Amino acid sequence: MKKILSAVIAFAAVAALATAKGKTTTLKVGATPEPHAEILKLIQKDLKAQGIKLKIVEFTDYVTPNKALEDGQIDANYFQHLPYMDSFNAEQGTHLANAGGVHIEPIAVYSRKYKSLSELPAGAKIGVPNDPTNEGRALLLLQSAGLITLKDGAGITATPLDIASNPKGLKFTEVEAASVPRILPDVDAAVINGNYAIPAGLNASKDGLFVEGADSPYVNIVAVRKGHENDEAIRALVKALQSDTVRQWIQKKYPNGDVIAVF
């Protein structure tokens, strides 16, 4: 009887293991269309082979994907840099964490009217993102370009109120990051985030009047709810995103440095 019972238990254990091995985990990841969703599509087959069904949920703004992640509607998102996530957590009381960095998208100053920053007239209208970290990033870029000087201590959360010197008397039009490319024809120049510049047909190295350096600290990350950084499926996602396949694809797709792998 004991032998029969042992055999039954052993069979049940083997059956359970086989079921577990064949089980598919669905991982919902939010992303902005380009390049984030494109990169995620690149690794779907790899994750499927590991028993992970990657469902990509596309967003066109920066706020909704973080709220969706906090609320548990998605398991991770891939669109933002670390300073933005930290600022969002502080302002919104969310509990998001960094599961791993993937790439940098240098921001740049673009113009439909002028071919160089020196051509910008006095009182020129400059479009900038209106969220705290991206506006600060834009102003720091304009400072690096020599157009303005910020007050001592002004950093990634700088606003136009932190400008100490503005020789050209630049006027700032603050709009949602996703809308900056759309207002480019209506302003003299604009600072545009990479993931919105690319779909708008703008190339930083070719069209940018001034481009952020490749040593930028604004690495785009995979964000998750705090405490889930080491979940098995999340680790597999990050590993796939930090693969040679992704690096080579980025180098081929963006040879001019509009997107730069950091792993």
Side-chain angles (χ1 to χ4, degrees), residues 65-117:
N66 273 348
K67 289 187 174 180
L69 178 56
E70 177 73 9
D71 295 341
Q73 298 175 42
I74 56 177
D75 303 299
N77 66 41
Y78 170 43
F79 76 93
Q80 65 191 315
H81 52 64
L82 187 58
Y84 180 83
M85 187 193 72
D86 288 341
S87 175
F88 193 93
N89 279 337
E91 291 185 0
Q92 302 291 330
T94 47
H95 308 82
L96 310 183
N98 174 18
V102 183
H103 72 268
I104 293 170
E105 297 167 24
I107 60 171
V109 183
Y110 298 93
S111 177
R112 297 290 191 198
K113 302 176 181 178
Y114 303 102
K115 295 183 179 180
S116 70
L117 294 181

Side-chain angles (χ1 to χ4, degrees), residues 216-234:
S216 165
Y218 295 90
V219 177
N220 281 218
I221 62 171
V222 174
V224 297
R225 289 184 297 282
K226 190 172 182 179
H228 291 270
E229 300 94 319
N230 293 313
D231 286 3
E232 187 175 350
I234 296 299

Side-chain angles (χ1 to χ4, degrees), residues 35 38-40 42-43 46 78 101-104 237-263:
E38 281 192 313
I39 294 174
L40 287 171
L42 191 69
I43 63 171
D46 181 26
Y78 170 43
V102 183
H103 72 268
I104 293 170
L237 171 67
V238 173
K239 183 177 180 180
L241 286 171
Q242 294 177 342
S243 66
D244 287 337
T245 298
V246 170
R247 180 190 292 108
Q248 291 167 10
W249 183 88
I250 288 175
Q251 291 173 344
K252 183 177 180 180
K253 176 77 174 182
Y254 304 104
N256 294 316
D258 292 308
V259 178
I260 303 169
V262 298
F263 50 88

